[in-house]
Amino acid sequence: MTQSTLHRKIQSPRSLWLLLGAALLLRLILAVVTEGYPYDMSCFVAWGDKLAAQGPSAFYSEGYFADYPPGYLWVLGLVGLLRAAFSLSYESPLTYLLLAVVPSLCDCAAAWLVWQVAQRAMPGSRAGWMLTAFTAFNPLLLFDTGVWKQIDGAFSLPLLLCFLLLEERRYLPAALCYGIALAIKPQALLFGPVLAACFLAAIVREDNRFRAFVRCFGGAVVALLPPLVLAIPFYGVTKLLPSLLEKYSGTVSGYPYASINAFNWMTALGGNWKSLDDIALLGIPWHVLGWFLILVVTGGLVFFAVRSEQAGRFSPLLLAAYYGLGVFTFGHCMHERYMVPGVLLTLLAAARWNDIRLYAAGFGLSLTGFVNLATVYSLAGTEDEWLTSATSSTVAVLVGLAETVCFVMLLFAVWDLALHGHALALPARTRAEEPVPPDQPVWTRREVLGMAALTAATALLSFAYLGDTTAPQHPLDATDTRLTETVTVGENGVNLWVYPGVSFGGSLTVADGQGTVLLVQELGYSTCFSWSENRLPVTAGQTLTVTVENAQVFEMAFRDGDGNLVPVTGGGALFDEQAAVPDAISQLNSMYFDEIYHGRTGYEQLHKMPVYETTHPPLGKDLIMAGIALFGMTGFGWRFSGSLFGVLLVPLAWCFARRLTRRRWIGAVAGVLLALDFMRFAQSRIATIDIYGTFFILLGAYCMLWYCQSVLQKGVNGSLFPMALGGVAFGLGCTAKWTGIYAGAGLAILYLGVLYARWRQKQPGFWAEFRTAAVGGVVFYVALPLCIYIASYLPYWWRDASFGLADWWQCQVSMYEYHANLEATHPFESRWYTWLLGLRPVWYYQNTHLPDGMKASIAGLGGPVIWLVGLVCLVALLWHQVNGRGSRAGAGVLILYGTQLIPWMLVTRCTFLYHYFPSSMFCLAAIALVLSHLRNRRKALRMGLTLCGLSAVLFALYYPVLSGLPIPAWWAQALEVLPSFGFY
């Protein structure tokens, strides 16, 4: 044994405890900052308080709801005692912490078991460490314990110990562990057939049958001891057995539905919250279908048990993983969390058998289970908590199908292992010193011209049909006052068009010569810079009085029955720009969606008016203001800057993918894919601020990528330029929208990570470089962004010279309080897990001024190629990372993607699909990286060209709903391919 090997073995336990300590700390932090699943939380707290106050004998009182057996109630009672001793409220973070402590410790103990088993099966293997780390930071377990605050970790641990002990043929300790699990939750009964199979197999292989039968009987007694002993203080001795039987049977039959939010095969068939007596398919009720499938799964258990015992490969862990997940997948009355023990058993079996297929199944089931829990959790207490909306039901069906596929993967692995003993080992890769990355390919004239041509084509596409270049510019400004104008109509008219400006709650009134009020139109925040049509018949020569109160009105116009402009005399500023009146009302000349906030604020800043939109930093509105200054307050003007940044995003993505992969052609593919992306196109053509945040987030990622590669080649001192540029980009991203701060977490991880990589290169002078990096981090990623952020408020100072740092700070407090306390809802809001597949587009605009048979809308949709193919590539990159075959580039993309998305998982306010826009940039990066990893370059190139071609076809098909172009109704209906779309 070499000295380095000995040193590594001595250090391994310390590394393990650091890993488990970090996993425990993360769970406890999540527990403190989240509120938990309200229904389970209220039960746990109430049960603990009652047990602490009244004792166990009075706990199960008549009519009191408590569907848990006594086992874990002792822990909840201790929590109740501590809460009473320290006067902790229900909402106290310490209450959340106390509820999560025991399950968190049990989760970490489960990860420790995986490490122990892995060390036996593959001693010293890096794969074992990766498997342990994945178990410790498993997203399903993190969410279940830290966020949901359930006790599945405490329930699963004794089950893991049970079947692990059975692997070693230690039957009585295994039975005791099973009894503990049974005392905690009745769901342990689901694993009863596996326990029975293990004891029967022991009888078959035992020469002394009498001894084997005695052991079997003894095991049954030992398994019943924990539920019985722990329940005696609750029921007493005389009522013990009937009360326990009633409790367990009542809990098992308490939810008579095909599926209770479990995203499994039953839900994929449409059985979520369907009564067991309802018809499933072919005239078969759900409960009959469920029992039939459970019998099939049980038959599979018998088959695998018999064949594996005959072959000398009997594995209780393998059988328990198969059966627990098989019943969850195909059984009825399953809850979303019933899969947790099965997932842990699968990971433990993967360590025991050193089989990558078991690991892959556990990996996939962890992701589907995580999405399952997150979906149910996020909808608790909402109108959609039964998952009946088109979006939620689609998520449930798709995830249910994915979960079933993962179980089938597990089934094939169990078949091969149990029958043939064929294990596919996890990759064992030795650690190598961090190599110096190769140089970037030199830019060629052809490549530069190609990027310029693509940028020009994108600009042509983006600026075409963007908005009118003319509009009324001179309002009648009655802000804080009342102004009146008199107008005489030259011909008969039927409609009055009104084009209001800024208003904080005003009105427009039209009266005839006798003072009779003919029309009253409220002018508020939603009417600004948008033409409206009012039915108002007038006759030639009629004189009208128009009164505007506390509002701006830029122009008015009368139209006759044929839609022609009616000439008028008089009217002052209300009728002085008739040549600028559009021929038709549409998005080309009117604001839509949040343009009424951000576009309006750009106008207000330009004219030094009080600003309306203060819930986001000013930079995005500063840039909108620049477009208005250049092209006037027109549809083209208020959208120009956003479209420009949307165009510039394309060459930036080209450069990012090129630098990431060092492949010229992949940069071109990335540029084309983004040029044709639905969200880039639609989101850059609306006067809101998300396009600016996304641009600077990607720019910051590009600079950090440049910096990391430069550090590994030239050192920190030779990489100050990309370091500084990255700080500027980060500052601009935060100044455009606070979501830029999310990106800062990813940048920080990469910034520190490359220092570690540099240290591993063992270059002389590292600590001097470290000091430079430390100072540069503070200067360029803290001080400089703060200065940029403060400078973005210059328009406030221009408007009011007394605006100072105290006012600036109050703006930040107001922004935070707004977002923290926002309780608004929206019919097109969506949760983060629906963004991954783009299931719920945001309906921005509908044109209601079209002839029959024609429709026009604008919606923010996710691009199918970047979003869907990118999601697959991200999952592939993640899988390579967790099984030890990942790359630095892959880890970087996942970090940038994750830090942009994960914060949204904890956000409970109203959210929309466009919040995923920055994350989608790293979906594109994942596609580029996967293409670069393909060994067959010709095949990779064909795949890239196919993706570009598919993007072009889909873009042409969906261009009308991205741009607002009117189309026949049949075309519009064909575009709504999912019931959750609903944008026409």
Side-chain angles (χ1 to χ4, degrees):
M1 180 182 297
T2 65
Q3 184 177 0
S4 61
T5 303
L6 177 62
H7 179 74
R8 186 173 62 250
K9 289 195 173 184
I10 291 173
Q11 294 299 320
S12 292
R14 183 182 302 174
S15 302
L16 176 66
W17 297 124
L18 288 174
L19 176 74
L20 297 181
L24 175 63
L25 180 62
L26 179 57
R27 282 166 170 78
L28 298 181
I29 291 173
L30 287 173
V32 169
V33 301
T34 57
E35 298 179 353
Y37 190 64
Y39 305 119
D40 289 352
M41 282 283 296
S42 59
C43 287
F44 290 164
V45 173
W47 294 346
D49 290 349
K50 184 174 184 181
L51 184 58
Q54 302 178 12
S57 61
F59 182 79
Y60 290 113
S61 55
E62 185 70 26
Y64 185 74
F65 174 79
D67 61 347
Y68 274 39
Y72 198 78
L73 293 179
W74 293 102
V75 177
L76 296 179
L78 178 60
V79 172
L81 287 172
L82 291 172
R83 291 184 63 247
F86 294 99
S87 301
L88 301 178
S89 66
Y90 175 92
E91 298 84 4
S92 170
L94 290 178
T95 296
Y96 303 158
L97 182 68
L98 289 172
L99 289 172
V101 166
V102 172
S104 297
L105 289 170
C106 293
D107 281 355
C108 295
W112 181 82
L113 285 177
V114 171
W115 180 79
Q116 287 283 343
V117 173
Q119 290 306 299
R120 299 177 193 174
M122 37 185 166
S125 170
R126 184 167 179 257
W129 279 102
M130 299 300 296
L131 187 55
T132 303
F134 179 73
T135 306
F137 294 96
N138 187 299
L140 171 61
L141 303 179
L142 285 172
F143 198 95
D144 182 70
T145 300
V147 180
W148 193 296
K149 297 173 187 58
Q150 248 293 343
I151 64 170
D152 297 291
F155 164 64
S156 299
L157 181 61
L159 279 177
L160 297 180
L161 288 169
C162 169
F163 293 107
L164 189 57
L165 289 167
L166 287 172
E167 288 278 341
E168 301 172 356
R169 300 186 182 181
R170 299 169 63 185
Y171 295 98
L172 295 185
L176 179 63
C177 290
Y178 180 80
I180 295 173
L182 186 60
I184 295 174
K185 280 195 172 187
Q187 286 77 45
L189 294 171
L190 296 176
F191 295 88
V194 186
L195 186 71
C198 294
F199 274 88
L200 290 174
I203 293 174
V204 170
R205 73 169 71 98
E206 182 72 51
D207 293 333
N208 189 336
R209 295 298 173 85
F210 177 75
R211 177 184 175 186
F213 274 106
V214 170
R215 183 171 55 202
C216 184
F217 176 77
V221 173
V222 170
L224 291 175
L225 279 178
L228 293 173
V229 171
L230 292 172
I232 288 175
F234 288 84
Y235 297 116
V237 176
T238 56
K239 296 181 179 180
L240 181 61
L241 286 177
S243 298
L244 270 182
L245 288 174
E246 180 182 357
K247 177 58 60 181
Y248 279 87
S249 62
T251 301
V252 170
S253 60
Y255 297 91
Y257 302 99
S259 173
I260 303 97
N261 290 334
F263 293 175
N264 55 9
W265 179 245
M266 285 295 197
T267 294
L269 293 178
N272 196 36
W273 290 107
K274 292 295 178 65
S275 171
L276 291 175
D277 295 325
D278 289 350
I279 301 302
L281 46 85
L282 301 177
I284 303 173
W286 287 105
H287 69 276
V288 174
L289 177 62
W291 280 117
F292 171 75
L293 293 176
I294 289 175
L295 287 174
V296 172
V297 174
T298 306
L301 172 66
V302 173
F303 173 77
F304 288 131
V306 172
R307 291 293 299 273
S308 61
E309 175 63 26
Q310 291 174 347
R313 289 185 288 270
F314 187 86
S315 174
L317 277 176
L318 203 59
L319 296 178
Y322 155 76
Y323 193 73
L325 289 169
V327 172
F328 172 82
T329 301
F330 297 108
H332 55 293
C333 301
M334 294 293 113
H335 289 250
E336 64 284 318
R337 292 168 291 98
Y338 284 11
M339 73 185 303
V340 172
V343 171
L344 281 170
L345 286 164
T346 302
L347 295 174
L348 198 58
R352 156 70 177 82
W353 285 89
N354 187 16
D355 189 273
I356 195 170
R357 294 166 301 180
L358 293 176
Y359 188 10
F363 171 79
L365 290 164
S366 298
L367 296 184
T368 61
F370 167 61
V371 175
N372 191 167
L373 265 64
T375 303
V376 176
Y377 178 88
S378 67
L379 296 176
T382 70
E383 296 180 354
D384 194 27
E385 68 178 333
W386 306 102
L387 278 65
T388 54
S389 71
T391 305
S392 298
S393 58
T394 302
V395 170
V397 169
L398 293 176
V399 178
L401 290 172
E403 189 277 336
T404 305
V405 170
C406 291
F407 173 75
V408 172
M409 185 190 309
L410 170 66
L411 177 62
F412 280 116
V414 172
W415 178 284
D416 205 20
L417 290 167
L419 272 60
H420 308 293
H422 295 158
L424 296 180
L426 279 77
R429 193 182 69 179
T430 58
R431 285 178 175 263
E433 287 191 356
E434 296 289 342
V436 176
D439 293 333
Q440 290 288 320
V442 178
W443 283 87
T444 64
R445 182 172 181 272
R446 179 180 178 183
E447 188 180 11
V448 172
L449 290 175
M451 187 171 70
L454 177 62
T455 304
T458 305
L460 182 62
L461 188 66
S462 297
F463 286 113
Y465 201 63
L466 177 64
D468 289 348
T469 55
T470 59
Q473 299 294 305
H474 307 292
L476 176 70
D477 193 345
T479 303
D480 297 327
T481 187
R482 174 186 293 182
L483 297 177
T484 300
E485 293 285 353
T486 301
V487 61
T488 302
V489 182
E491 298 174 3
N492 294 340
V494 295
N495 293 312
L496 174 64
W497 288 13
V498 180
Y499 186 60
V502 171
S503 171
F504 289 92
S507 64
L508 178 146
T509 304
V510 179
D512 62 13
Q514 289 73 42
T516 303
V517 175
L518 304 179
L519 173 70
V520 176
Q521 182 177 345
E522 297 297 326
L523 303 178
Y525 74 94
S526 62
T527 62
C528 65
F529 302 103
S530 299
W531 284 98
S532 63
E533 183 179 66
N534 303 277
R535 179 72 176 175
L536 184 62
V538 293
T539 58
Q542 186 175 5
T543 299
L544 303 172
T545 300
V546 182
T547 302
V548 181
E549 183 175 3
N550 193 30
Q552 289 180 337
V553 176
F554 275 75
E555 196 70 10
M556 299 171 63
F558 285 100
R559 295 282 187 178
D560 62 21
D562 296 325
N564 299 315
L565 198 63
V566 173
V568 298
T569 56
L574 295 176
F575 291 89
D576 64 338
E577 297 178 88
Q578 296 289 285
V581 176
D583 294 330
I585 298 175
S586 73
Q587 83 285 357
L588 299 177
N589 45 62
S590 299
M591 288 185 170
Y592 60 90
F593 196 64
D594 283 355
E595 288 187 330
I596 60 175
Y597 307 126
H598 303 112
R600 162 187 176 160
T601 301
Y603 172 84
E604 290 168 335
Q605 290 185 165
L606 180 64
H607 292 84
K608 299 183 180 181
M609 301 168 63
V611 295
Y612 182 78
E613 206 289 319
T614 58
T615 62
H616 295 287
L619 179 61
K621 291 158 286 186
D622 295 344
L623 294 170
I624 293 172
M625 175 185 69
I628 297 171
L630 289 172
F631 298 100
M633 192 58 186
T634 64
F636 188 88
W638 65 65
R639 295 174 189 144
F640 170 78
S641 295
S643 297
L644 176 63
F645 273 78
V647 171
L648 296 177
L649 199 58
V650 171
L652 177 58
W654 180 314
C655 295
F656 183 83
R658 184 187 190 277
R659 176 168 285 278
L660 181 70
T661 64
R662 296 179 178 84
R663 302 285 195 281
R664 294 187 178 95
W665 69 270
I666 289 181
V669 167
V672 172
L673 291 179
L674 188 57
L676 299 171
D677 181 61
F678 291 3
M679 183 61 73
R680 183 212 65 81
F681 183 79
Q683 203 63 38
S684 67
R685 288 162 51 91
I686 180 174
T688 56
I689 60 177
D690 295 271
I691 185 63
Y692 308 110
T694 301
F695 177 86
F696 290 121
I697 286 170
L698 185 59
L699 179 61
Y702 173 83
C703 292
M704 182 55 67
L705 174 62
W706 180 9
Y707 170 75
C708 291
Q709 293 174 344
S710 177
V711 165
L712 295 177
Q713 290 179 320
K714 307 173 185 177
V716 175
N717 295 330
S719 308
L720 295 180
F721 185 59
M723 178 196 293
L725 286 182
V728 172
F730 173 62
L732 291 171
C734 297
T735 308
K737 196 170 184 180
W738 276 3
T739 50
I741 299 174
Y742 299 166
L747 299 179
I749 294 172
L750 297 183
Y751 193 84
L752 297 174
V754 77
L755 278 179
Y756 172 72
R758 180 64 174 171
W759 173 76
R760 294 196 64 226
Q761 288 181 333
K762 308 300 181 185
Q763 297 290 333
F766 169 76
W767 292 110
E769 293 186 29
F770 180 84
R771 287 191 294 272
T772 301
V775 173
V778 173
V779 171
F780 294 124
Y781 283 92
V782 178
L784 180 60
L786 181 60
C787 292
I788 293 172
Y789 189 91
I790 294 174
S792 70
Y793 280 84
L794 279 175
Y796 285 53
W797 180 75
W798 294 338
R799 182 181 73 248
D800 181 3
S802 65
F803 184 86
L805 285 178
D807 302 298
W808 172 86
W809 177 251
Q810 186 56 47
C811 289
Q812 314 315 304
V813 173
S814 299
M815 274 193 284
Y816 174 78
E817 291 178 347
Y818 170 82
H819 292 289
N821 301 316
L822 182 65
E823 296 181 357
T825 60
H826 193 279
F828 283 86
E829 66 179 294
S830 56
R831 308 296 181 182
W832 67 267
Y833 47 83
T834 67
W835 304 344
L836 307 181
L837 300 176
L839 296 180
R840 187 59 169 167
V842 189
W843 192 9
Y844 290 146
Y845 169 79
Q846 181 185 30
N847 192 334
T848 57
H849 303 277
L850 294 174
D852 292 341
M854 297 295 290
K855 291 188 175 184
S857 282
I858 298 177
L861 290 90
V865 173
I866 290 181
W867 290 36
L868 300 185
V869 179
L871 179 63
V872 173
C873 292
L874 283 167
V875 172
L877 291 178
L878 179 60
W879 169 237
H880 276 76
Q881 292 299 137
V882 300
N883 70 28
R885 294 182 295 178
S887 63
R888 285 187 314 221
V893 169
L894 289 170
I895 289 168
L896 292 169
Y897 174 82
T899 52
Q900 201 64 51
L901 177 63
I902 289 172
W904 290 107
M905 299 179 185
L906 304 177
V907 172
T908 57
R909 49 150 287 185
C910 178
T911 54
F912 296 93
L913 182 67
Y914 56 75
H915 290 136
Y916 188 65
F917 187 24
S919 300
S920 70
M921 296 299 99
F922 305 111
C923 294
L924 179 62
I927 294 174
L929 205 54
V930 169
L931 287 175
S932 71
H933 286 168
L934 295 177
R935 295 180 180 178
N936 189 326
R937 184 182 181 279
R938 183 171 297 179
K939 180 180 179 181
L941 182 58
R942 284 201 300 267
M943 289 182 63
L945 292 175
T946 300
L947 293 177
C948 292
L950 180 60
S951 295
V953 171
L954 291 172
F955 184 86
L957 184 64
Y958 275 84
Y959 177 80
V961 76
L962 302 175
S963 64
L965 183 71
I967 54 173
W970 63 265
W971 187 348
Q973 293 169 2
L975 297 180
E976 296 183 309
V977 295
L978 290 177
S980 58
F981 274 17
F983 42 67
Y984 276 110

